[in-house]
Amino acid sequence: MKRIALTRVALGAALLAASMAAHAQDAKAKISDGMVKIGVLTDINGPFMDNVGRGSIVATEIAVEEFGGKVLGYPIQVVSADHQNKADVGSARVREWLDRDKVDAVTELGSSAVALAAMKIAQEKNRISIVTGAGAVRISNEDCTPTNLHWVYDTYSLAKVGTQSIVKNGAKSWYYLTADYAFGHSLENDGKAFIEGAGGKVLGSSRYPFPGNDFSSYILKAQASKADAVAIATAGLDLQNAIKQGKEFGLVEGGQQAVAMLMSIVDVHGIGLKDSGGMLFAESFYWDLDESSRAFARKFFEKTKRMPTALQAGQYSATLQYLKAIEKAKSDDVADVMKAIKSMPINDAFAKNGKVREDGKMVHDMYLVRVKKPAESKSPWDYYTVLETVPGDKAFHPLAESKCSLVKK
């Protein structure tokens, strides 16, 4: 009995010591307001809702769940809102989150106009912004900020990976059908540079008011150009409608190649393999790439009944790495977290060989993919064949050409 009593005393002492050690560790951690709060500002009901939207919120929640719901012993909370693809609506919500709700990081921001407005407010308030859903190069180039991260892709990488190989394979003349706003313009301008650099030529372009649903007149102009390839520089439901209408007008059957400058797996799913099979485009993620991508995709599918887009997988990755950076820094202080995240190699379900550069850009492998034709697909969501893997240092804008004020010359 005495031995049992001594054992209990020893066990109690050990538990007390462990508790005190844990308390001491927690005391070293600096978490403002006793909570880490992540705001997901996305397009919930608009033209990009399938590419980001509720799926990006789910992806954020999966990352938080995998982290155990806490970081450094403090709870993690996710809040979300719809920016309606309007910079003023997005800005108002960001200010409300940062001033009233004590949000630590604003993320997703799937519209370049919204992203550019939000990241400036975050800098003003000394909070972190993580752009996973917008692709304008200027986000991490001339408009970079010390508190912003640019995660998934940009128009430079999409245009470079999505045009050069196609030009080299014979598509020498191009025509652009472009959404008339910042992201579309950037896709067209970057694409033109890479097409011409590879020995091709852009014969012309048509810019349509975004969002749109009738592309007939623009498709007729593209056909009249006799270009080898017609580049569709838009995204989401607009992209799907443009491809379907191109099919109705016999664009591909007439000998022209349709090239999506930004396409996702849900776009392929919405269009169908019959109409999209054979299309080439640049991608930053595919759910069936390896075991880690498949493991995340299974969790995502359980909650949404569809496979994740690159933007949704990138949102998962950005959230996970943000939490890891807090853990490494033992603080949610903005400067400490930014320093930590820029020192970490990134390999997860989304990113391969990833690293955050001094301009805030997360560079990683990109892929040139071809959409499978119906006979090639062996199971639901078996949509891509990866033709080429382009390393991050070859895919993204080189630092030597950067206009970001954070880059040391």
Side-chain angles (χ1 to χ4, degrees):
M1 184 67 75
K2 185 175 181 181
R3 183 177 298 173
I4 292 173
L6 288 172
T7 301
R8 287 176 176 168
V9 170
L11 180 59
L15 289 172
L16 179 61
S19 176
M20 291 177 66
H23 181 75
Q25 182 69 25
D26 286 346
K28 293 179 181 179
K30 296 184 293 181
I31 300 297
S32 58
D33 309 312
M35 176 183 290
V36 172
K37 189 177 288 190
I38 301 169
V40 184
L41 189 59
T42 186
D43 178 3
I44 294 176
N45 298 301
F48 306 127
M49 63 181 181
D50 290 335
N51 284 289
V52 286
R54 298 194 186 281
S56 288
I57 299 167
V58 168
T60 308
E61 292 170 346
I62 291 173
V64 171
E65 288 169 8
E66 287 187 2
F67 220 78
K70 293 183 178 182
V71 58
L72 298 173
Y74 294 91
I76 305 163
Q77 183 180 356
V78 177
V79 297
S80 60
D82 190 343
H83 56 54
Q84 302 174 34
N85 293 296
K86 298 177 181 178
D88 57 342
V89 172
S91 295
R93 180 48 62 99
V94 170
R95 288 191 182 279
E96 183 180 77
W97 273 353
L98 302 187
D99 290 339
R100 187 193 70 186
D101 299 333
K102 300 179 180 179
V103 167
D104 297 289
V106 180
T107 184
E108 207 286 289
L109 304 170
S111 157
S112 293
V114 172
L116 289 163
M119 54 193 272
K120 289 178 182 178
I121 297 170
Q123 179 186 15
E124 173 192 329
K125 304 292 184 181
N126 193 34
R127 307 286 175 83
I128 288 176
S129 54
I130 311 176
V131 180
T132 63
V137 171
R138 56 190 292 187
I139 290 169
S140 51
N141 198 28
E142 60 263 39
D143 289 323
C144 72
T145 75
T147 63
N148 186 64
L149 300 167
H150 196 185
W151 209 261
V152 176
Y153 55 50
D154 58 22
T155 54
Y156 182 101
S157 60
L158 291 173
K160 184 175 185 181
V161 176
T163 60
Q164 286 191 329
S165 293
I166 299 173
V167 173
K168 290 174 183 176
N169 286 330
K172 298 297 184 182
S173 59
W174 291 61
Y175 190 92
Y176 267 82
L177 196 169
T178 303
D180 193 9
Y181 73 117
F183 179 71
H185 299 171
S186 192
L187 271 177
E188 180 182 330
N189 293 335
D190 288 335
K192 183 178 180 181
F194 289 118
I195 290 165
E196 293 175 348
K201 183 178 181 181
V202 176
L203 303 180
S205 68
S206 294
R207 292 184 174 181
Y208 77 91
F210 172 83
N213 50 40
D214 183 2
F215 298 94
S216 56
S217 63
Y218 309 112
I219 292 168
L220 289 171
K221 288 179 182 179
Q223 287 178 309
S225 75
K226 305 296 183 183
D228 298 325
V230 177
I232 305 172
T234 188
L237 296 177
D238 282 24
L239 174 69
Q240 294 183 35
N241 288 330
I243 292 172
K244 288 176 182 177
Q245 290 173 37
K247 187 76 172 179
E248 292 170 4
F249 277 80
L251 187 69
V252 175
E253 289 78 1
Q256 292 175 294
Q257 185 172 354
V259 180
M261 298 308 296
L262 171 57
M263 198 168 189
S264 77
I265 198 163
V266 294
D267 295 321
V268 174
H269 189 74
I271 297 165
L273 296 184
K274 182 180 178 182
D275 289 345
S276 63
M279 291 191 70
L280 301 175
F281 57 94
E283 258 288 20
S284 49
F285 170 82
Y286 181 39
W287 72 267
D288 201 19
L289 192 65
D290 58 24
E291 186 47 46
S292 63
S293 63
R294 286 188 287 271
F296 165 68
R298 283 192 294 269
K299 292 180 181 180
F300 187 89
F301 189 87
E302 286 175 6
K303 295 176 180 290
T304 65
K305 305 309 175 190
R306 62 174 61 190
M307 287 302 178
T309 66
L311 297 175
Q312 291 159 347
Q315 177 67 17
Y316 161 84
S317 169
T319 303
L320 199 61
Q321 300 304 327
Y322 169 64
L323 295 174
K324 287 182 178 180
I326 292 175
E327 189 173 62
K328 181 174 182 178
K330 293 184 171 57
S331 168
D332 64 351
D333 176 79
V334 170
D336 292 343
V337 171
M338 291 296 287
K339 181 179 179 181
I341 209 163
K342 289 181 179 181
S343 71
M344 296 161 44
I346 300 171
N347 285 286
D348 55 29
F350 167 77
K352 311 303 172 193
N353 305 306
K355 178 176 175 54
V356 178
R357 304 189 310 196
E358 55 196 282
D359 58 354
K361 171 76 70 185
M362 200 276 278
V363 298
H364 52 84
D365 291 353
M366 293 282 291
Y367 311 98
L368 178 67
V369 303
R370 178 177 62 81
V371 179
K372 292 183 177 182
K373 295 182 179 179
E376 298 174 301
S377 179
K378 305 303 181 187
S379 60
W381 299 93
D382 175 27
Y383 291 164
Y384 294 171
T385 296
V386 177
L387 301 178
E388 186 179 348
T389 299
V390 182
D393 61 348
K394 303 295 184 184
F396 288 89
H397 195 272
L399 277 176
E401 299 175 9
S402 176
K403 299 176 183 177
C404 172
S405 60
L406 304 172
V407 177
K408 299 174 183 176
K409 300 296 185 180

